[in-house]
Amino acid sequence: MADAVTDPVEAAELKKRRTFRKFSYRGIELDQLLDLKNEEFMELVHARARRRFQRGLKRRPLGLIKKLRKAKKETLPNEKPAVVKTHLRDMIIVPEMIGSVIGIYNGKVFNTVEIKPEMTGHYLAEFSISYKPVKHGRPGIGATHSSRFVPLK
């Protein structure tokens, strides 16, 4: 009981330190974002995504969203949904996908990614790197002009 805070100013400061920043996407909070229709969300995203939505969602992206809905519906409360595997790296993340777990194909394996609110408006490919980043070592033979004069043995 000795470490209980009795000073109201100190208690307010402690509470202020513990509160988390609320997520908002372009000024709209998460709960409102989840309630948006596709047409309303379309107005919030960048021009390339807006054009993509205006031209209509095709069969494959709609199929992925249906699979994600089904996986979410079949999960127990406070559990993560089953992984839904996809090759659709060019799919734009919509608010409906938040909380889902997706296996994104990178050309070799499916990288498991949990969709978070901060990912809305981005492409799935941004979260599954398709190449191995270069680790620069020593330059090889023929890399520079001065290496011509180095004996091979």
Side-chain angles (χ1 to χ4, degrees):
M1 289 292 270
D3 46 315
V5 181
T6 54
D7 184 30
V9 176
E10 209 173 311
E13 188 180 314
L14 187 68
K15 186 175 190 285
K16 191 168 152 186
R17 219 178 312 144
R18 275 186 293 168
T19 55
F20 298 104
R21 186 177 65 86
K22 278 201 132 186
F23 172 76
S24 66
Y25 180 76
R26 305 210 176 181
I28 295 180
E29 291 187 8
L30 180 61
D31 51 348
Q32 296 169 342
L33 194 64
L34 292 170
D35 295 334
L36 287 180
K37 294 186 182 85
N38 278 346
E39 292 78 30
E40 295 166 339
F41 176 68
M42 190 176 76
E43 294 168 6
L44 297 175
V45 293
H46 51 92
R48 169 54 45 192
R50 228 179 2 255
R51 176 177 164 80
R52 177 92 180 270
F53 284 123
Q54 280 173 344
R55 294 177 63 84
L57 285 174
K58 304 293 187 264
R59 197 181 108 245
R60 287 203 170 134
L62 277 177
L64 174 64
I65 290 175
K66 284 180 185 174
K67 283 183 183 178
L68 292 172
R69 279 186 201 139
K70 184 181 175 193
K72 264 190 185 178
K73 194 171 71 174
E74 291 174 353
T75 56
L76 300 169
N78 298 328
E79 292 286 319
K80 286 186 183 177
V83 177
V84 176
K85 291 182 176 182
T86 184
H87 282 240
L88 296 176
R89 296 173 56 80
D90 62 343
M91 177 73 184
I92 297 164
I93 297 173
V94 293
E96 188 180 354
M97 298 165 80
I98 293 173
S100 300
V101 182
I102 303 178
I104 307 166
Y105 194 64
N106 69 354
K108 187 177 182 183
V109 293
F110 289 92
N111 292 333
T112 305
V113 176
E114 184 182 352
I115 305 298
K116 296 188 168 54
E118 292 82 24
M119 298 178 179
T120 50
H122 289 270
Y123 290 92
L124 287 178
E126 295 179 49
F127 306 104
S128 176
I129 193 165
S130 62
Y131 61 91
K132 187 177 178 185
V134 178
K135 292 184 176 67
H136 294 284
R138 297 198 45 159
I141 296 170
T144 61
H145 288 293
S146 63
S147 66
R148 280 188 285 180
F149 305 109
V150 177
L152 293 175
K153 289 191 179 180

